[in-house]
Structures are given as C-alpha cells and as structure tokens.
Amino acid sequence: MITGERMAAVDENAAALGVPRKQLMESSGHAVARAVREVADPGASVAIVAGRGNNGGDAFVAARFLDAYDVTTLLLGRAENIGTEIARENWEALQRADYDTREVKDSSQFDRPDCDVVVDAMLGTGISGDLREPAATAAEAINAADATVVSVDVPSGFDADAGEHAANGVEADRVVTFHDAKPGLEELDAEVTVADIGIPAAAERFVGPGDVDLARPDTREGRPNVIGGGPYTGAPALAAQAALRAGAELSFVAAPDSVAGEIQGYSEDLIVQPYEEDVLTPERAEALLERVEGYETPVVLGPGLGTADETLEAVRRFLESYTGTAVVDADALRVVPEVETEATLVCTPNRGELAAMGGPDADDLAAVADEIEDFAADLGHVVLAKGATDVITDGERTRISRSGTVGMKVGGTGDTLAGIVAALLEHAAPLDAAAAGAHVNGLAGERLAERDEHGFLASELLAEIPTVLWDGGDGDV
C-alpha cells in the first residue's frame, strides 16, 4: 500500500531511472481503457470527465484505446490551463486526431451524463477536502447518472494520504489505481483494481529526487539542539552547521564550557550553550532534558561526546526519559540497544558502530539490507547504516541510497549527515527524513568530487547542501 504523497515521489524516482512520466501515463491510460472494456461492450457510450492535471492526462490516453466505443471527452476548464506538459500533449493529440473533445468552462454548462460508462478523471491523488466548483457540480451529476462509474487512480474527492472521502466526492463503481493500492480504497463500495504501469521496483527501493522532494522544507523552520562535544569539537559544530544549511531556523549546541569557545569559533551562526562539566554527566543530561523536552524540535545526540563511563550513563538517562525525536550518532549509539525509551530515534551508525550495536558486520551494507531491516525491527527505531551504499530502514520498509563518493571517507561527513537529518525531521517522517538526508549528503559529496575526488573536507560539504536540497536532489537514483 502506498500514499498519494509517496506515490508522487516514486513517480519522480522512476523518471530519474529513465522511465519518464509520459511513458507511465501511456500505461495508465491503457489500464483505464481496459477497465472500461471489462464493464461495457463495444459500441457503448462513454463520457470521460477530466481535470487539468495528470489524472486527466491518463484519461486522454484512455480515449485513444477506446475507438470501438462512442467516447466523448469533457475537459473541466480551459485547455490553455492544463497544468502539465504531458497532459496537454495528450489532449492536443485527441484534438489533432479528431476525437470528440469539449471544454466545460463553467459548472453551469455541465449536464448529467447520458451514457453507459462515466470515466471520472477530475482529481487524482494529492487532493483533500470537499470538492469545489466545477468538480462539485460534475461529481453530483456523475453520481446521479444511470451509468457505471470508473474512477482513475482514486475517485475524485478521495484523499489518498488520509484515506478519507469527501462527502460530495464521486461514488465510483470501479477504481483503477496505479502501481499499488492507496490507503482507504478497500473501504469504498467499489471494485478496486491495481494496475501495474511499469514502475520499476527500484523506484521505491533506491532513494532518489522524489524522496528529496518529499522531505524538503518549504520554509526555514525548526531549532535542532546538538548535544555533543567534550573530547572533540568539530563534530558538533559540523552537525549544527549542516542543520542550518538544510533549512533549520536556528541551531543550538550544548557543550562543556572548556570547549564552547572553540565550537563557537567554527561559526558565528551557532548558538552555543556551555555547561560547567568537562564532559556530559548524568546530572547535566537531566538538566538538558528539561530544556529540550518542552520544544517540539529534534535533538542530535552524540557528535564528539566521547566514551567516558559517566557520559554513556548520561546518554542512557537522557534517552530513558526523553519523549521527542532524536538523531543518535557516534559514541551515543552503543547505549541505544540497552535503553527502553518513548523517544523516536534515527540511529546513524557506520559499519563498525552497526556491528557493535548488534547488527550485521559486512563491507557491503546493501548486500545485508534484509538483515539490517530485521535488526531495526528488533531495535524499534529507524536505522541509517552508513557505508559506500547507505541502508535506511524502519524495520518494515527499506531504502537504499547510492549517492556519495570515496572521498566521503574523510572524517566529519557523518556529522553533516546527522545535522541534515535533524533539519529534515521538522518537515518529514523519520524514515523519509533519513533517506533524503543520506541522499543529499551523498550528492553534496559528489559535487565536490567533480572538482577534487579525494581531497575535499567535510566542512566543504556545508556549502553544497542547499544547492543539492533545493535543486530537487537531481542525480542518479
């Protein structure tokens, strides 16, 4: 099962793999036509009621496969306002081939269809709430018609993310949905057919530009708190700066007073909050917990903390009581398998850290992706396993990011990744944020590798993050 939002990401990933949307639309339209042929004999009358988006484009394609039927295609709105190039091309193809096409420019012009079959292609996935004009009038007329109603992908008015149907939505007799079932369709009083339209499985498995679109912040938002530093200073500074580059509004670093000035020196943009102890202690962790617990913003826990016994005990106490969202990295990871917590965690181990946590030990993480998925299921948290290929899983769903370069073996790239994921968690679900973060971090490295394959530094990734993130994550899936 797949939501409408996720389906849009998969479509984009398929295009990046070389299967363009135009090809998918051709397959979708053929599937719709096949459904019409199953409910009506040749010669039957068919009214296609289409919107101006790709849902309508699917139906324009279907019309070309229904030459044995008496088909009229009604476009709700003006053709000049068709929203996508591929839908417009298919509308124009109908006109050039002299199919019966009409524009319905006003809801008052829409009459109850007098036909055997109505193809409902007004609105697809990504639409929620009650229908507005002219779709509302058209839906009322379709529901009142003495015809079999075939809806394209979802009935108009159906929310493919929430699984809810608008009170004034189209009441379909049959639904032809694409690639996979959408949440809630099974509850409708309609026959639902899932049509394979040729989307490769890799479009869901491998992280691509669609995943970046899904997780990308619309505006600056969020104030991640990085709890790190002590023995090391660069790691928390890199994580906090990466969060800013990935869209965070502010970025805080809680660190020992002895290194706070050094961390601040990396960037005047960071808000460093020093504490007296030389390392993170259990008592300090409890004080920090009180500070962050009241804010609905992610924590990055671990960069540069070190492995002192009292520090690991501090991490343990923090996680036991914390109920928010955290990216757990570096030395803090070793505590996670031992802790029961209500927090939502994204764990970002490298190969060695993964093995130390109890996960598989392998050079090629992609080859043991199923084992990592099982490990994440037992752990109860999202795992972003870092390697030449990154494996991201919540124990049920697994994604693989193939972005990156050998030059990213340099220290600090895991810290930038943690910061990116923390920023994306303000907008996206944990698995989506982790997958997109891995891809963005890797693509930033690829951009640097174009100039210097082996000699770039983790700090240089920072300048590339906004370009990659807001350019749509273009690159190979």
Side-chain angles (χ1 to χ4, degrees):
M1 190 167 292
I2 190 170
T3 65
E5 187 178 49
R6 177 67 188 152
M7 188 68 218
V10 171
D11 278 348
E12 188 169 355
N13 288 350
L17 288 167
V19 185
R21 282 191 173 94
K22 187 172 183 178
Q23 182 175 328
L24 297 179
M25 183 173 285
E26 195 74 11
S27 298
S28 299
H30 190 275
V32 172
R34 186 164 57 247
V36 171
R37 291 195 293 268
E38 289 173 358
V39 300
D41 294 328
S45 56
V46 179
I48 293 175
V49 185
R52 301 189 304 273
N54 282 341
N55 195 250
D58 296 333
F60 301 153
V61 171
R64 292 190 281 105
F65 289 96
L66 293 172
D67 282 345
Y69 295 78
D70 179 14
V71 180
T72 300
T73 301
L74 305 174
L75 173 65
L76 292 187
R78 299 176 183 273
E80 63 195 50
N81 294 327
I82 291 176
T84 70
E85 182 178 351
I86 54 174
R88 184 179 302 109
E89 288 176 356
N90 280 298
W91 169 259
E92 292 172 351
L94 293 181
Q95 293 189 303
R96 286 193 295 268
D98 202 28
Y99 284 87
D100 183 2
T101 60
R102 306 174 194 176
E103 296 177 46
V104 181
K105 300 176 182 178
D106 185 272
S107 58
S108 63
Q109 299 176 359
F110 195 92
D111 298 322
R112 180 188 301 180
D114 182 15
C115 57
D116 299 305
V117 179
V118 175
V119 175
D120 158 39
M122 295 187 293
L123 300 171
T125 59
I127 304 298
S128 60
D130 290 340
L131 296 182
R132 295 178 290 182
E133 297 297 351
T137 293
E140 183 179 9
I142 290 171
N143 291 340
D146 185 18
T148 300
V149 179
V150 177
S151 285
V152 177
D153 208 3
V154 296
S156 294
F158 185 85
D159 184 339
D161 293 318
E164 299 172 350
H165 198 28
N168 64 344
V170 169
E171 298 170 4
D173 298 298
R174 184 160 184 173
V175 178
V176 182
T177 197
F178 307 128
H179 181 63
D180 201 351
K182 312 304 184 294
L185 282 181
E186 73 280 2
E187 298 177 9
L188 299 180
D189 186 19
E191 180 182 349
V192 179
T193 300
V194 177
D196 183 349
I197 58 173
I199 293 176
E204 286 199 72
R205 183 75 162 175
F206 296 128
V207 184
D211 298 276
V212 177
D213 281 351
L214 191 61
R216 180 188 300 114
D218 298 324
T219 60
R220 278 199 177 275
E221 57 183 331
R223 303 180 176 191
N225 285 266
V226 178
I227 300 175
Y232 309 101
T233 60
L238 284 169
Q241 290 177 87
L244 288 172
R245 295 288 190 169
E249 181 182 6
L250 298 172
S251 195
F252 297 86
V253 180
D257 184 58
S258 58
V259 297
E262 187 174 344
I263 293 172
Q264 185 71 77
Y266 287 109
S267 174
E268 62 273 26
D269 301 299
L270 304 181
I271 301 174
V272 181
Q273 299 174 317
Y275 53 82
E276 294 178 358
E277 297 84 354
D278 290 335
V279 295
L280 183 66
T281 64
E283 293 74 23
R284 179 55 58 186
E286 291 174 2
L288 291 175
L289 180 66
E290 292 180 8
R291 178 189 299 173
V292 302
E293 188 69 54
Y295 296 93
E296 294 183 3
T297 192
V299 166
V300 180
L301 181 62
L305 279 180
T307 59
D309 289 344
E310 59 183 337
T311 297
L312 296 181
E313 178 61 25
V315 170
R316 182 178 293 104
R317 289 195 192 179
F318 184 93
L319 291 177
E320 284 175 346
S321 300
Y322 185 52
T323 60
T325 302
V327 180
V328 184
D329 189 35
D331 295 322
L333 288 164
R334 65 181 64 192
V335 176
V336 173
E338 309 167 3
V339 173
E340 291 187 10
T341 178
E342 296 180 14
T344 299
L345 305 184
V346 176
C347 301
T348 57
N350 59 30
R351 172 197 162 187
E353 291 163 340
L354 178 66
M357 293 174 72
D361 186 359
D363 291 329
D364 183 358
L365 294 180
V368 293
D370 289 344
E371 293 179 47
I372 298 173
E373 181 177 289
D374 291 340
F375 169 70
D378 291 339
L379 192 66
H381 304 296
V382 171
V383 172
L384 194 177
K386 301 175 294 191
T389 297
D390 298 330
V391 176
I392 309 98
T393 178
D394 63 1
E396 295 181 357
R397 299 163 295 169
T398 296
R399 313 255 164 83
I400 295 174
S401 175
R402 300 185 290 183
S403 68
T405 173
V406 66
M408 294 184 72
K409 288 184 178 181
V410 66
T413 59
D415 302 306
T416 59
L417 172 60
I420 295 168
V421 174
L424 298 184
L425 280 167
E426 292 285 353
H427 175 75
L431 180 67
D432 295 330
H439 199 60
V440 167
N441 200 51
L443 289 179
E446 289 182 11
R447 288 176 61 86
L448 289 174
E450 291 175 1
R451 303 192 297 270
D452 185 353
E453 183 175 2
H454 297 287
F456 63 82
L457 304 176
S459 57
E460 295 178 276
L461 288 173
L462 297 171
E464 302 296 337
I465 292 168
T467 301
V468 171
L469 185 54
W470 278 279
D471 275 357
D474 293 336
D476 293 336
V477 174

